[in-house]
Amino acid sequence: MLKKLKENLIKYSQFLILTSVGLIILVSLFSFSSQDNTIYKFDSTLKVYNNLLGYFGSMLADTLTRAFGYNSYFLPIFLLFTSFRIVTGRPVKWYSFACFPFFIILICFFSVVLIKELSFVELDGGFLGEALFHYFETFYSSGSYYYYLYAGLA
């Protein structure tokens, strides 16, 4: 009896923590406004924030948006899906957490590739995607195998 209670308590506390963190990030990203104070822009006369979470939300959204671009929306979605998997009793595998950073890295990189190489829709890859694209272009653009590497990564 106590063992089952302890398991349920752990499961629902994990659910609440992941859901609340995911919702906080999601609300701060959806209510992000460029007029709010951010990391690189601070206005001491600003008293009212457009972000629903205030100063904390504007800083969080700006940091995630600058680092990952629009791909930062994958983080709260991943946290929410993981929390629902926990509460429904489906097993959460270790590789879902281990592979998620590599997924974000590849998505950020290919977002910038779509912009720069293919002149595709404006998908911002953030600092991470821009840096990876710069390194890739610097080290591999001199050879004829440049586009073969793109195809291999995809």
Side-chain angles (χ1 to χ4, degrees):
M1 173 80 176
L2 288 175
K3 185 178 180 183
K4 192 69 169 172
L5 178 68
K6 183 178 175 183
E7 289 175 7
N8 283 339
L9 187 62
I10 290 172
K11 181 174 33 171
Y12 285 110
S13 64
Q14 289 173 344
F15 169 75
L16 285 174
I17 289 170
L18 288 174
T19 303
S20 62
V21 169
L23 287 176
I24 286 171
I25 294 172
L26 195 64
V27 165
S28 69
L29 285 172
F30 275 132
S31 63
F32 177 69
S33 174
S34 60
Q35 284 82 26
D36 289 341
N37 286 333
T38 60
I39 291 176
Y40 296 113
K41 182 187 89 80
F42 187 79
D43 183 13
S44 61
T45 61
L46 184 67
K47 301 293 183 207
V48 177
Y49 288 92
N50 295 329
N51 197 310
L52 294 175
L53 298 177
Y55 180 72
F56 172 75
S58 67
M59 288 294 181
L60 178 66
D62 180 59
T63 303
L64 289 173
T65 305
R66 285 184 189 271
F68 304 119
Y70 294 124
N71 303 314
S72 59
Y73 287 95
F74 285 121
L75 178 63
I77 291 170
F78 173 75
L79 291 174
L80 291 172
F81 278 132
T82 304
S83 68
F84 287 123
R85 285 185 69 90
I86 288 173
V87 81
T88 57
R90 295 182 183 158
V92 178
K93 306 290 186 189
W94 64 270
Y95 51 81
S96 65
F97 284 103
C99 293
F100 183 70
F102 297 111
F103 173 71
I104 291 292
I105 287 170
L106 284 175
I107 293 294
C108 288
F109 173 70
F110 282 113
S111 297
V112 176
V113 167
L114 288 174
I115 295 170
K116 304 259 178 153
E117 293 292 324
L118 303 175
S119 299
F120 202 63
V121 68
E122 277 293 320
L123 296 171
D124 184 24
F127 289 151
L128 179 64
E130 291 285 337
L132 288 173
F133 181 75
H134 174 71
Y135 285 125
F136 186 81
E137 195 174 45
T138 301
F139 291 122
Y140 298 113
S141 67
S142 62
S144 62
Y145 49 86
Y146 181 64
Y147 292 106
Y148 293 121
L149 286 172
Y150 278 142
L153 284 173

